[in-house]
Amino acid sequence: MRYVAAYLLAVLGGKTTPAAADVEKILSSVGIEADAEKLKKVITELNGKDVEQLIAAGREKLSSMPVGGGAPAAAAAAAPAAAAAEEKKGNFKIKIKNK
């Protein structure tokens, strides 16, 4: 992620197609030593592509993903089970009082 961020910073700085040296310079300015293999992969994947279009495509993909749908459903399913357990516990207490 840091390599992509540095690449995007280089693009914002005016480089249309940043080189590995540009990204390394940005990373080293904040004390990060660049891994040559990871950096090469990022440069290879992004080289020649329009960053604006990549960001737009990423936003489109993210907007189609459901957000947080699983947790409320799981909590809703657990609620009746908890209520049933409380009822049993409540009945147990009532039986003890009746003795």
Side-chain angles (χ1 to χ4, degrees):
M1 190 69 162
R2 65 182 76 175
Y3 298 100
V4 175
Y7 186 93
L8 292 173
L9 283 171
V11 170
L12 285 173
K15 303 272 186 179
T16 54
T17 54
D22 299 322
V23 176
E24 284 178 356
K25 184 176 180 181
I26 292 169
L27 291 173
S28 67
S29 72
V30 292
I32 298 172
E33 187 176 327
D35 178 4
E37 188 175 314
K38 289 179 182 178
L39 181 57
K40 181 180 176 184
K41 181 167 176 62
V42 169
I43 296 291
T44 303
E45 291 291 325
L46 297 177
N47 199 11
K49 295 181 181 175
D50 182 20
V51 173
E52 300 285 334
Q53 289 178 352
L54 291 174
I55 291 171
R59 283 187 183 157
E60 187 177 314
K61 287 180 183 179
L62 284 175
S63 69
S64 68
M65 293 178 61
V67 179
E86 287 179 21
E87 286 177 20
K88 289 179 185 176
K89 184 177 179 183
N91 289 340
F92 184 73
K93 286 181 182 178
I94 293 171
K95 288 180 184 178
I96 292 174
K97 289 182 181 178
N98 288 340
K99 285 187 178 180

